Each structure stands twice: as C-alpha cells, then as structure tokens.
C-alpha cells in the first residue's frame, strides 16, 4: 500500500535556526530518507521551496485566478513529502513517527487511491 507522508511545520531559515541547527536538521532528514530507501519502501521524496514562492491557481467561476503565495495563511506549511510503499497503515505510522520534523510539526499519513503509470490511471487495491 502506498502512503504519502505530508510534513507540515513552521517554515524556518538558517538565519532563524542558526547554521549548526540547520545542518543538523539536514543531516537528520538525509538519514531518514536513507533509512526509508535502505528498507526498500521509498518511492519518492521532495523538499518544497518556501511558501513565499508558492503560486495558487483557482477558477471557481471558470475564470482563472492566479495568486502569489499560499492559499491559507497558517503557521505551518507543507514543507515536504515522502511517498512510501509499505504493508499497512501501522507500518506507515511507524515511518511517520521517525520523521525528523515530528517534534516540531505534524506528519499527515494519507493512503494513495490511484496512480498514473504507463499512460493510465491504476487504482490501488485495499
């Protein structure tokens, strides 16, 4: 079963944290990604750029609206994602609990419903 681990946390910069803490955080995420990869469960991982460079697109009335910045103004932003393929929700929760950001943010564990692969949508079996 595939799960997306969506990491939400307050955005920080090296200036906010200090260079040593920033380097330590990068090391912890590197170790986490390598542990997922070594376990054979990592499908993909993405660290997102800051929400300040986000562009939000909507068309509620059929007219395309483009807005700079995130849609919601919150303390926590989506900072990155890991897509993993594990046996069940318990295994996904176990990996989510090991995410370095768990101590200062949240990790949303969301099962995949379908995927686009080889030119077609393929549903995941439950």
């Amino acid at each position: 079963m595939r799960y997306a681990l969506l990491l939400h946390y307050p955005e920080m910069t090296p200036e906010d944290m200090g260079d040593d803490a920033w380097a330590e955080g990068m090391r912890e995420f590197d170790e986490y990604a390598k542990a997922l990869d070594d376990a054979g469960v990592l499908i993909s991982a993405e660290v997102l750029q800051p929400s300040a460079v986000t562009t939000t697109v909507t068309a509620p009335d059929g007219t395309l609206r483009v807005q700079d910045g995130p849609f919601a103004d919150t303390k926590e932003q989506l900072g990155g994602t890991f897509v993993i393929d594990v046996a069940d929700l318990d295994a996904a929760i176990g990996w989510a609990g090991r995410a370095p950001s768990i101590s200062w943010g949240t990790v949303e564990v969301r099962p995949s419903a379908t995927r686009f692969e080889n030119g077609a949508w393929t549903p995941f079996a439950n």
Side-chain angles (χ1 to χ4, degrees):
M1 184 83 188
R2 281 192 191 183
Y3 291 87
L5 305 180
L6 307 171
L7 284 60
H8 300 269
Y9 45 80
E11 291 182 322
M12 295 172 270
T13 66
E15 293 77 27
D16 297 332
M17 296 177 63
D19 290 337
D20 291 343
W22 186 265
E24 177 64 15
M26 290 177 59
R27 184 192 61 73
E28 289 175 0
F29 273 105
D30 185 57
E31 288 179 0
Y32 180 64
K34 286 177 180 172
L36 288 164
D37 195 43
D38 290 346
V41 300
L42 183 62
I43 303 299
S44 69
E46 302 280 339
V47 175
L48 303 176
Q49 291 192 25
S51 63
V53 298
T54 297
T55 302
T56 303
V57 181
T58 61
D61 61 1
T63 303
L64 189 66
R65 291 190 179 103
V66 179
Q67 171 186 323
D68 290 338
F71 179 74
D73 186 19
T74 63
K75 289 183 181 180
E76 292 187 342
Q77 299 292 333
L78 178 60
T81 65
F82 287 86
V83 177
I84 60 174
D85 191 349
V86 293
D88 54 30
L89 178 59
D90 289 337
I93 291 170
W95 282 108
R98 293 177 58 183
S101 59
I102 198 76
S103 64
W104 69 84
T106 59
V107 178
E108 180 181 345
V109 179
R110 188 177 299 188
S112 294
T114 187
R115 70 182 181 279
F116 191 82
E117 193 171 66
N118 299 320
W121 287 101
T122 305
F124 284 102
N126 289 337

